[in-house]
Amino acid sequence: MAPGAQRCGALALLAVVLGMPGTAANAQALDGHGISGFWSPGFGATPPRRAPTPAEAELMASFPEGTVVLADVGATEFPPGDYGGIAIHEALREAAKTYDPESQTTVALTCKPPGLIYTMQGPFPMEIFEGRDLIAVKLEYFDLVRIIFMNETSHPDDWPHSQTGHSIGRWDGDTLVVDTVSLQSGTLFNNGVNHSEDVHLVERFRLADDRTLVVTQQFEDPGSFTGTAARVMSFSRGDDHVYPYDCDPSYGLSMDSREGPAGP
Amino acid sequence: MNPGRAGRGHPPLRGGALIVSGRLQNNAAMLRKLIRFCLSASALVFASFAGAHHSAALFYDLQGSVEVSGTVTEFRFANPHAILRFDVVGEDGEVQHWTAETTSPSVLRRRGWSQDSFTAGEKVRLQGLPSIDGSYLIRITRAFREDGTEIGVPRGTDN
């Protein structure tokens, strides 16, 4: 089946799942804001490592005053002890000194996602299915699937914490604004500091042009740092689908059994 | 077979005091397993607030480079990272059992790789990042068959 036909099939399936009959009006709604499709992360620098584009600057204007924009998007990672200028609580800084990064390759943790906030900026593609009542975002990294409720305006009090949390969205003109809570604790920088389960994430998705999607994330977590942190990401449209990730924890064993004249 | 040459921060691949005996290699592997067991046990305790991103910076000198040639013994094409096992014979005849790691197979599929990219017994030449700890480990950036044919399409920026 051709990719286009597969995409139509997937959208039709989503329409059924969402309870949306295949009317012309709904078809227009599905195509309404143009963000549906396959998006690959750019590997180039994003702000603050370069000057923002007009579309990026427009979204960044939404950041609260004093927001720290992190420079670790994509393949870039902060080294141990570098938190990008965020005022991490002292107790967490101290705890991070004992963090052993090799724990990432243990069988127990190899296939545990690093957390939605960090995952969104990672160098993996995503596929967006835009509906009227909800928007589905399938992330290739660790097979995470996000559901953004467009027909709800508040978060439930008793929503269980999870890798993807609870997300509600609204359109502010051509910008999709997504508010997420109930996230499980996850890494902030992949270097030993984790956010709490009270973290509050706000994301904005906006087309810079038909082929470029700008995404910003800003998050606050009084349990781990003071103030607001943010990242700016850029994605390019592609004619593809997200692949299954099917993480294999035996990777940890492979790294464990490496040989050589020196050891960890 | 030419075992290749080491890059910055990497021990010689043959000869010299840094090449240890099979017994010492086995002891090193046992020590790693013990350390890894302890890490796994502690990781289980803290599993609720830790996840895995499998940073290349953990194991590799990101500024270094190394080229190694050898004979494939095993290839596992699965996320989070593919693993290629291969043997390198040093000038003294000692067989070194190497592990080569790639980026995510999801990424590699889009660069023309597959589970059939390597066959046990074939000779390959690998370019990549050297290990930080000196173990027989390489992070592949480019791979070539014996006739010089490159496997897949070279990456732009690694992830």
Side-chain angles (χ1 to χ4, degrees), chain A residues 75 77 101-102 104-105 109-110 112 123 140-141 190 194 240-241 245 248 251 256-259 261-264, chain B residues 18 25 32-33 36 47 49-50 52-55 58 76 79-80 85 97 101 106 110 133-136 158-159:
Chain A
E77 291 184 16
E102 285 213 25
Q104 294 177 9
T105 60
L109 292 183
T110 285
K112 183 174 174 59
E140 186 163 282
Y141 202 28
N190 203 39
N194 302 306
D240 204 343
H241 286 284
Y245 194 74
D248 179 356
Y251 161 77
D256 179 51
S257 59
R258 70 187 190 276
E259 297 183 2
Chain B
L18 290 178
Q25 287 183 35
R32 271 192 206 103
K33 288 176 181 174
R36 214 42 88 80
F49 54 87
H53 178 64
H54 321 114
S55 170
L58 298 180
R76 187 185 67 86
N79 282 308
R85 305 278 199 182
H97 303 295
E101 180 185 8
S106 299
R110 296 187 175 94
D133 66 4
S135 57
Y136 296 148
D158 195 18
N159 60 345

Side-chain angles (χ1 to χ4, degrees), chain A residues 5 15 40 70 119 126 133 135 150 153 166 182-183 194 236:
Chain A
S40 287
L70 300 168
T119 294
M126 64 180 173
D133 293 337
I135 293 174
M150 303 298 291
T153 57
H166 184 272
S182 297
L183 290 170
N194 302 306
S236 299

Side-chain angles (χ1 to χ4, degrees), chain B residues 67 69 122-127 142-152 154:
Chain B
E67 181 171 303
S69 297
E122 76 169 313
K123 293 179 172 58
V124 292
R125 178 167 56 90
L126 308 175
Q127 296 175 350
R142 302 181 75 176
F144 303 86
R145 302 194 192 286
E146 190 174 26
D147 64 2
T149 304
E150 182 156 9
I151 297 169

Side-chain angles (χ1 to χ4, degrees), chain A residues 38 40 43-44 74-75 77 99-115 118 121-125 140-142 163 184-187 190 194-195 197 240-264, chain B residues 11-12 18-20 24-26 28-29 31-37 39-40 43-44 46-60 76 78-83 85 95-97 99 101 103-107 109-111 131 133-137 139 157-159:
Chain A
F38 177 87
S40 287
F43 286 100
E77 291 184 16
Y99 171 70
D100 187 336
E102 285 213 25
S103 65
Q104 294 177 9
T105 60
T106 59
V107 172
L109 292 183
T110 285
C111 290
K112 183 174 174 59
Y118 198 76
Q121 61 79 46
F124 283 86
E140 186 163 282
Y141 202 28
F142 287 98
Q163 291 288 344
Q184 285 181 350
S185 178
T187 187
N190 203 39
N194 302 306
H195 64 72
E197 292 195 335
D240 204 343
H241 286 284
V242 164
Y243 291 154
Y245 194 74
D246 287 344
C247 186
D248 179 356
S250 70
Y251 161 77
L253 294 175
S254 298
M255 296 300 287
D256 179 51
S257 59
R258 70 187 190 276
E259 297 183 2
Chain B
L18 290 178
I19 300 298
V20 299
L24 285 177
Q25 287 183 35
N26 289 338
L31 178 59
R32 271 192 206 103
K33 288 176 181 174
L34 178 61
I35 293 172
R36 214 42 88 80
F37 173 80
L39 285 173
S40 296
L44 282 172
F46 297 106
S48 63
F49 54 87
H53 178 64
H54 321 114
S55 170
L58 298 180
F59 298 101
Y60 306 96
R76 187 185 67 86
N79 282 308
H81 296 181
I83 296 292
R85 305 278 199 182
V95 176
Q96 303 168 358
H97 303 295
T99 298
E101 180 185 8
T103 186
S104 163
S106 299
V107 174
R109 282 187 187 281
R110 296 187 175 94
R111 295 182 191 156
S131 65
D133 66 4
S135 57
Y136 296 148
L137 180 69
R139 172 81 173 220
T157 302
D158 195 18
N159 60 345

